[in-house]
Amino acid sequence: MNPNLSTFTIADFGCSIGPNTFHAVQNIIDIVKLKHLKESQEDSRVAPLEFQVYFNDLPNNDFNTLFRTQPPSSKQEYFSVGVPGSFYGRVLPRNSIHIGNTSFTTHWLSKVPEEVCDKNSLAWNKNYIHCNNLIEEVTEAYKVQFEKDMGVFLKARAEELVPGGLMITLGQCLPDGVAMYETWSGIVKDTIGDCLQDMATLGVTTEEKIEMFNLPVYFPQVSELKGAIEQNIRFTIEMMEIVSHPLEAVQLSNNFITSMYRAILSTVIERHFGGSVVDELFRQFAKKLSEHPIDFEKCKKQMVYHIVLKRK
Amino acid sequence: MNPNLSTFTIADFGCSIGPNTFHAVQNIIDIVKLKHLKESQEDSRVAPLEFQVYFNDLPNNDFNTLFRTQPPSSKQEYFSVGVPGSFYGRVLPRNSIHIGNTSFTTHWLSKVPEEVCDKNSLAWNKNYIHCNNLIEEVTEAYKVQFEKDMGVFLKARAEELVPGGLMITLGQCLPDGVAMYETWSGIVKDTIGDCLQDMATLGVTTEEKIEMFNLPVYFPQVSELKGAIEQNIRFTIEMMEIVSHPLEAVQLSNNFITSMYRAILSTVIERHFGGSVVDELFRQFAKKLSEHPIDFEKCKKQMVYHIVLKRK
């Protein structure tokens, strides 16, 4: 660390409303404090350090909840700020961040690739609501969007980080050769799609609306992820660890799955289908799950990646 | 400006939800840009400048509205961040701000001085809901709190500003020798107090609740304000202009006055008396105003101060 450094800045990109973001940030601070303590014992010129944490998410994120549920300022070891803006673009000044963090965010694309909603395209994803890797052209369209978005994400972070700064990226991916429809979370989204189809039959929504609906979500295979990361020449890869997904090891209850996916998807579903659809959809989904529980044993496993990049 | 400077930081303390804060900040940016343009024409080493603006207010401020109503990022010339926390204390790292601004905020004290709610104190403000300067001991209690708060405010800002940084402070004060009860806004608050008394008679609220209610608001006289500012030895006073209040010159309509004071006071009234009181209170207030309109000609005038401090 620069002995003159007096403020250490950390940013969490895609922080949501907490509390996970507070834990992630605190972990980083604890480690930096240890390192700083050691250095200041060895070198008396080292200045005392203050921490500033930038919590970033989209402007429609509930920052009020984030700010009101954060640790009380008396217990807080950092100055806390909120940064409204899409991380697919610059949200902070040049050379202003020492450590960036993002956890399970970059599978949310900046948008649904246009082709998958285009009736005249080979990549039209008519019968599904997400990229389940059953249609090659759909996968390709999503993959292109993912690579583009990841490029934009890393370019922006490279500008925001100081030289030598670290970017910690956690996320979910697929082993090479594994398709989303073979994983339990892929099956969940296909089942939600089936429920929407049932609701169209009952007149609660329409076929046309479903045909035009796709989730802006893509989980890359390991080699695609590596390729996208290596594209950015302003970072060196300090660490890349790809391990089993912690939720793969446990048999999840149907209630847990229903609540989890309702929390994840209700906003995007509500925006497309209207608010009245959500309750009924997840009622039907819970029913279908109880009739046909997911056989976790038979599902292919997803992976979690843990990457540390260093700004050149 | 330092030719190596690449990020210029501005903070607005007590920003509320906009849009005034956006105008204030934009004015500052326009001026800094002009100065920077001139310097970069004269000296080719001057780096291009990015702006970062810190919008500060209490954690219960509606930052969601602030973030969603700010100019779209495409038109914005700055990176925008929200800072939740009381400005009566540090909210930003040391030496991190080039220009601080605060507009009509520091009359809101950090708390109501305890004596004015204490039945056993000479400073008990039994019959009034604010410091109208009718009781000397009440005025003294409020004055002491104001001086303490202003001291804390300036100490925190002195630490947050870079050496040479500017702190712009706008606010409202009284000419020496003028009492709040002689001004139209003092009369307004006394009238609101009278309406609460009427409501206690009708059983909508109680005498006891009113006796325990005081606004955490104090408008200093010019000499008190100057004294409080001069206390802080880490600033030089670059400019101190005290002019008529722009609202003094116009005859305000009763509707305008009612809406204005409802907007200013409803949160603090609701917190003490409960939400059910607010509608009825301002209905009664509007009625009283129409029966006894304020005679603006007879009121003593308030002042607006405009102070620029420079961090030594």
Side-chain angles (χ1 to χ4, degrees):
Chain A
M1 266 181 249
N2 173 352
N4 294 319
L5 183 71
S6 79
T7 305
F8 195 96
T9 50
I10 296 164
D12 191 33
F13 298 95
C15 63
S16 189
I17 59 167
N20 292 348
T21 186
F22 303 130
H23 302 319
V25 155
Q26 193 59 52
N27 285 340
I28 295 171
I29 288 177
D30 289 345
I31 294 166
V32 175
K33 271 176 65 187
L34 262 183
K35 190 168 150 58
H36 182 257
L37 182 69
K38 202 163 158 272
E39 287 182 8
S40 53
Q41 281 166 345
E42 288 164 7
D43 182 349
S44 61
R45 290 171 312 159
V46 171
L49 215 51
E50 292 186 336
F51 290 90
Q52 187 169 37
V53 178
Y54 292 83
F55 294 99
N56 159 258
D57 213 313
L58 291 169
N60 66 0
N61 183 50
D62 185 0
F63 282 94
N64 286 351
T65 297
L66 182 82
F67 289 162
R68 291 167 199 177
T69 58
Q70 69 183 358
S73 57
S74 58
K75 289 195 178 168
Q76 218 172 282
E77 299 183 272
Y78 51 86
F79 297 108
S80 167
V81 292
V83 185
S86 166
F87 57 45
Y88 291 123
R90 288 277 303 284
V91 292
L92 292 163
R94 282 188 298 266
N95 299 334
S96 66
I97 300 297
H98 295 102
I99 296 187
N101 184 71
T102 197
S103 300
F104 296 92
T105 58
T106 53
H107 58 272
W108 287 101
L109 304 178
S110 66
K111 61 172 188 173
V112 174
E114 278 147 32
E115 311 91 293
V116 305
C117 293
D118 178 358
K119 288 188 183 200
N120 301 315
S121 168
L122 282 172
W124 188 28
N125 203 20
K126 182 175 189 299
N127 295 315
Y128 306 108
I129 63 162
H130 72 124
C131 179
N132 60 10
N133 303 125
L134 271 171
I135 303 166
E136 203 174 314
E137 290 85 353
V138 172
T139 302
E140 185 59 24
Y142 268 100
K143 188 185 151 185
V144 166
Q145 186 66 47
F146 170 78
E147 283 169 350
K148 200 177 146 197
D149 282 344
M150 198 51 140
V152 172
F153 179 89
L154 291 176
K155 182 171 179 287
R157 300 302 82 77
E159 291 175 14
E160 292 163 353
L161 283 170
V162 299
L166 300 179
M167 181 68 214
I168 303 168
T169 309
L170 259 80
Q172 193 173 318
C173 64
L174 294 168
D176 283 348
V178 169
M180 265 318 272
Y181 70 87
E182 300 175 295
T183 68
W184 73 263
S185 75
I187 293 168
V188 162
K189 281 173 222 137
D190 280 332
T191 308
I192 291 171
D194 293 345
C195 294
L196 282 167
Q197 295 288 354
D198 294 349
M199 287 167 71
T201 315
L202 294 167
V204 185
T205 186
T206 64
E207 284 284 348
E208 291 71 32
K209 273 201 171 169
I210 301 170
E211 288 171 6
M212 289 297 115
F213 180 66
N214 278 282
L215 294 171
V217 165
Y218 181 73
F219 294 98
Q221 295 191 351
V222 172
S223 55
E224 293 168 16
L225 175 73
K226 281 187 178 166
I229 298 282
E230 284 161 1
Q231 281 287 318
N232 191 303
I233 55 164
R234 293 177 72 184
F235 285 110
T236 54
I237 300 173
E238 296 294 298
M239 194 190 93
M240 186 181 284
E241 214 177 58
I242 297 175
V243 293
S244 309
H245 193 295
L247 286 186
E248 297 291 346
V250 282
Q251 173 79 34
L252 302 172
S253 76
N254 288 345
N255 277 346
F256 182 85
I257 297 171
T258 308
S259 303
M260 181 179 172
Y261 276 85
R262 185 176 175 136
I264 295 171
L265 299 180
S266 63
T267 308
V268 61
I269 288 171
E270 204 172 309
R271 207 176 298 146
H272 186 85
F273 292 97
S276 56
V277 164
V278 175
D279 278 345
E280 177 60 14
L281 174 61
F282 283 93
R283 206 185 58 75
Q284 293 223 12
F285 174 68
K287 189 161 161 270
K288 225 180 250 281
L289 259 193
S290 69
E291 288 162 6
H292 309 284
I294 293 171
D295 186 345
F296 282 82
E297 286 288 311
K298 282 196 185 153
C299 294
K300 294 269 176 75
K301 305 276 179 274
Q302 287 173 270
M303 309 292 281
V304 167
Y305 61 86
H306 192 176
I307 300 173
V308 179
L309 303 173
K310 188 172 182 176
R311 170 81 158 75
K312 285 178 190 169
Chain B
M1 267 180 248
N2 173 352
N4 295 318
L5 183 71
S6 79
T7 304
F8 195 96
T9 49
I10 296 163
D12 190 34
F13 298 95
C15 62
S16 189
I17 59 167
N20 292 349
T21 186
F22 303 131
H23 302 320
V25 155
Q26 193 58 53
N27 285 342
I28 294 171
I29 289 177
D30 290 345
I31 294 166
V32 175
K33 271 175 66 186
L34 262 182
K35 188 168 151 60
H36 182 257
L37 181 68
K38 200 161 161 272
E39 287 183 9
S40 53
Q41 280 166 346
E42 287 165 7
D43 181 349
S44 61
R45 291 170 311 158
V46 171
L49 215 49
E50 292 186 337
F51 290 90
Q52 186 168 36
V53 177
Y54 292 83
F55 294 100
N56 159 258
D57 213 313
L58 291 170
N60 66 0
N61 184 49
D62 185 0
F63 282 94
N64 286 351
T65 297
L66 181 81
F67 289 162
R68 291 167 199 177
T69 57
Q70 68 182 359
S73 56
S74 58
K75 290 198 179 166
Q76 217 172 286
E77 299 183 272
Y78 51 86
F79 297 108
S80 165
V81 292
V83 185
S86 165
F87 57 45
Y88 291 124
R90 288 277 303 283
V91 291
L92 291 163
R94 281 188 298 264
N95 297 334
S96 65
I97 300 297
H98 295 101
I99 296 187
N101 184 71
T102 197
S103 300
F104 295 92
T105 57
T106 52
H107 58 273
W108 286 100
L109 304 178
S110 66
K111 60 172 190 175
V112 174
E114 277 147 33
E115 309 91 292
V116 304
C117 293
D118 178 358
K119 290 189 180 198
N120 300 316
S121 167
L122 281 173
W124 187 27
N125 203 21
K126 183 174 185 299
N127 295 316
Y128 307 109
I129 63 163
H130 72 124
C131 180
N132 60 10
N133 303 125
L134 271 171
I135 303 167
E136 202 174 316
E137 291 84 354
V138 172
T139 302
E140 185 60 23
Y142 268 99
K143 186 185 152 187
V144 167
Q145 186 65 47
F146 170 77
E147 283 170 352
K148 199 176 147 197
D149 283 344
M150 198 51 140
V152 172
F153 180 88
L154 291 176
K155 182 172 181 286
R157 300 301 82 76
E159 291 176 13
E160 292 164 352
L161 283 170
V162 300
L166 300 180
M167 181 68 215
I168 303 167
T169 309
L170 258 81
Q172 192 174 319
C173 64
L174 294 168
D176 283 348
V178 168
M180 264 319 272
Y181 71 85
E182 300 174 295
T183 69
W184 74 263
S185 75
I187 293 168
V188 163
K189 281 173 224 138
D190 280 331
T191 308
I192 291 172
D194 292 345
C195 293
L196 282 167
Q197 296 287 355
D198 294 348
M199 287 166 72
T201 314
L202 295 167
V204 185
T205 185
T206 64
E207 284 283 348
E208 291 70 33
K209 274 201 170 168
I210 302 169
E211 287 171 5
M212 289 297 116
F213 180 67
N214 278 282
L215 294 171
V217 165
Y218 182 72
F219 295 99
Q221 296 193 352
V222 172
S223 55
E224 293 168 18
L225 175 73
K226 282 188 177 166
I229 298 283
E230 284 161 1
Q231 280 289 317
N232 191 302
I233 53 164
R234 294 177 72 183
F235 286 110
T236 55
I237 300 172
E238 296 294 299
M239 193 190 95
M240 186 181 284
E241 214 177 58
I242 297 174
V243 294
S244 309
H245 192 294
L247 286 187
E248 297 291 347
V250 282
Q251 173 79 33
L252 302 172
S253 77
N254 287 346
N255 277 346
F256 182 85
I257 297 172
T258 308
S259 304
M260 180 180 172
Y261 277 85
R262 187 178 174 134
I264 295 171
L265 298 180
S266 63
T267 309
V268 62
I269 288 172
E270 204 172 309
R271 205 176 299 145
H272 187 85
F273 291 97
S276 56
V277 163
V278 175
D279 278 345
E280 177 61 14
L281 175 61
F282 284 94
R283 206 186 58 76
Q284 293 225 12
F285 174 68
K287 191 161 162 268
K288 225 178 251 279
L289 260 192
S290 69
E291 289 162 6
H292 308 284
I294 293 171
D295 186 345
F296 282 81
E297 287 288 312
K298 283 197 185 153
C299 293
K300 294 269 177 77
K301 306 275 179 273
Q302 286 172 271
M303 310 291 281
V304 167
Y305 60 86
H306 192 177
I307 300 173
V308 180
L309 303 173
K310 187 171 184 178
R311 169 82 156 76
K312 286 180 190 167

